[in-house]
Amino acid sequence: MSGSRDPKWLGPDAIKVHPRLRMIRNGSRTVNTIRAEHAGCLRVRGATTTPRLRGDAAAPLVLRDADKLSGKLRKRKLRSVPAGIDVSMFVTLSDDAAGWAGDFSARTANLRTTTRPLNALGQLLDDPYVQFLEPGEALKAPTPLVHGGSPAAPAVDRWRVGSAAAHHDGAGVLIGIIDVQGFDFAHADFLDESGGTRWARIWDQGGSARPSPAGRSEARGDGLRGFDYGAEFTRADLDAAIAASAGLGVPAQEIERQSQTVPGSHGTHVASIAGGNRGICRKALLAGVLVDLTDEDMDRRRSFYDSTRVAEAIEYLLALSFELGPMPVSINISLGTNGHAHDASSALSRWIDSALSTRGRAVSVAAGNAGQENPLFEGDVGFVMGRIHASGRVPAAGLTRDLRWRVVGNRIADLSENELEIWHPAQDRFSVQVKPPEQDWLPPVRPGQFIENHQLGDGSYVSVYNELYHHANGENYVGVYLSPLLSREAIVGVPAGEWIVRLIGEEIHDGFFHAWIERDDPRRLGPFGEREAWRFPSFFEEGTYVDDSTVSSLACGLRVLSVANLDAERGRVSPTSSQGPTRDGRLKPDIAAPGTGIVAARGFDPEAAWVGMSGTSMASPFVCGVAALMLAVDSELSAAQIHGIMRRTARPLPGADFRWRNDAGFGEIDAERCVAEAESLRQRTDVTP
């Protein structure tokens, strides 16, 4: 579908807009309604009356082959940008825009988060203070391995730091958890001596059971307003529910109900590791932000679950730490994305690094579970989540390099939007050519050119953007998007098979490039005739993928603690743990922490209180808890100092030395030495000659 030809979006102002936002803007309401199921930055008003990709009899969509498409479904042009669709984005402002009058939700430095109607974005381009518009990156649901059985409660002192008589417990610190699936605030692992909860606050971004945080005054004094969406549960609300639950005969979690209460919830397990009564930091206050990322298609359409929501969650937790103290805060994020340049230049990475310029703060981020490149056992397909990265060199002008990109087939219709990003140095010039499976090559797209929503012979679409001097880092960016045909009359999946993306050297000074496929978690949509419709990950073929630099882009931030999954029992990093370095050669992940077979609280399940899980999602809260202990002994530590202490005190894995490794970082975290080093940091000795 060709987009409306608004000169503002094609001329000089186009450099102020991320190409993905341009592509979204040039999609019809039906396309963007269905796209919103997996594009976290989109929200559709009135989505209950529009098509959904479900395989039930009520679905008004039909999966058709190309030869059965009516002519009106081909080459249709968009005459106007549709109404009723909102987009969540980051806005970069000029330095003199401190008093910017535009509507926004949160801010740090010259970044703002805002939500605007898709058909009103031109107003932002007219604003002289606006430098760049970047849609939020879709967050992916965490994918830990959940172990079967009903394990016993872990020992209370399994992760004790310090002596039994004087161990460190983290009193006076706030631990913030940004996660999904709900927080079981009444679980025994979170109750204090009086039977009340240790959760100071829960902000359910997708909830409506309580008022939003909009009316709460912030104690930071910087003019940040509250957030006018979601539901906020206070400690008083939660304690009242716990007190009333016995008399009412219902669980406390049903009295103060969050929008997600998944048995065995990821958020509960993560919080238990970082700050439960049997976790690392057992006296810290807890606060949670529940991101509105669910498995229900309709819920996804009507909500945002993108990186702007993480930025707002961080601002909420920082404001809460001021309100409660002020007190130091350690935040954990076990969510991620492969989008952007993996060099800390994304809007969210810049946002977090700005927040971490203030002392008394730490942010831990899971490195990701994209480390596996081959099957680990017969029938294992987990490798498709690991073959997301490619790199190489076009050595000279006139030479080429092919990237072989596999979209699954085998009677599966892939109805997801597949995205490939290629980043290369500003001094080089590549043309890009794409060959769909069993179809002719598309024409080369030269630097500064693009193909937008080009319809292939089968009815699906391809978009290619060859951008120079990206706003965030000054590097060159190529975006390739494969989109299914989504309309009321018919849907056609992305053609299955091998796609070839060819890089053609035009002017080469360096020639090196990196490429990432945006992660797309497997999700069955249902049967359509003889085929199954899925959202399924695409991946690089053997000979194209390169087994490094798979760390989540969010875990590439300068001052975040990027955490790998240590299999402590085997003395090695899990083969599924993502690897570094970053695209710009920095040493991420920083550290490895126990993340395999970790027993912690099982939320929202009266039959089983504990569960074992494995993944970087479990390793990251371990580091979050250790950072909280360090802040408890010295609340003035900076994120850079915590970062340095953890690197210095790390223990090499068996057979390794102290040098950084792309899977383990600087080695296994040593909680005892981290806290001891934090305690001694302020000690100074005057050596008088």
Side-chain angles (χ1 to χ4, degrees), residues 327-343:
M327 61 196 309
V329 57
S330 181
I331 297 172
N332 184 78
I333 306 172
S334 288
L335 306 169
T337 174
N338 289 335
H340 221 275
H342 292 70
D343 61 1

Side-chain angles (χ1 to χ4, degrees), residues 4 12 22 58 89 162 164 177 204 222 256 305 317 353 369 398 448 476 480 497 570 628 661 678 680:
S4 59
R22 291 176 10 212
M89 72 190 89
I177 306 294
D204 179 0
D222 63 357
E256 293 289 357
Y305 50 94
L317 293 169
D353 283 331
N369 300 318
N476 296 333
V480 182
R570 294 177 174 83
R661 287 174 39 178
S680 65

Side-chain angles (χ1 to χ4, degrees), residues 350-374:
R350 287 183 283 132
W351 192 293
I352 295 175
D353 283 331
S354 175
L356 291 178
S357 64
T358 299
R359 292 180 180 273
R361 299 172 178 176
V363 174
S364 303
V365 179
N369 300 318
Q372 182 183 344
E373 72 273 11
N374 290 304

Side-chain angles (χ1 to χ4, degrees), residues 90 113 137 139 178 205 229 289 291 305-317 333 335 348 351-352 554:
F90 292 97
T113 60
E137 298 278 354
L139 298 174
I178 302 173
Q205 291 187 336
Y229 64 95
V289 179
V291 177
Y305 50 94
D306 65 290
S307 53
T308 65
R309 283 338 199 208
V310 173
E312 291 168 7
I314 290 169
E315 291 305 300
Y316 172 86
L317 293 169
I333 306 172
L335 306 169
L348 182 55
W351 192 293
I352 295 175
L554 182 55

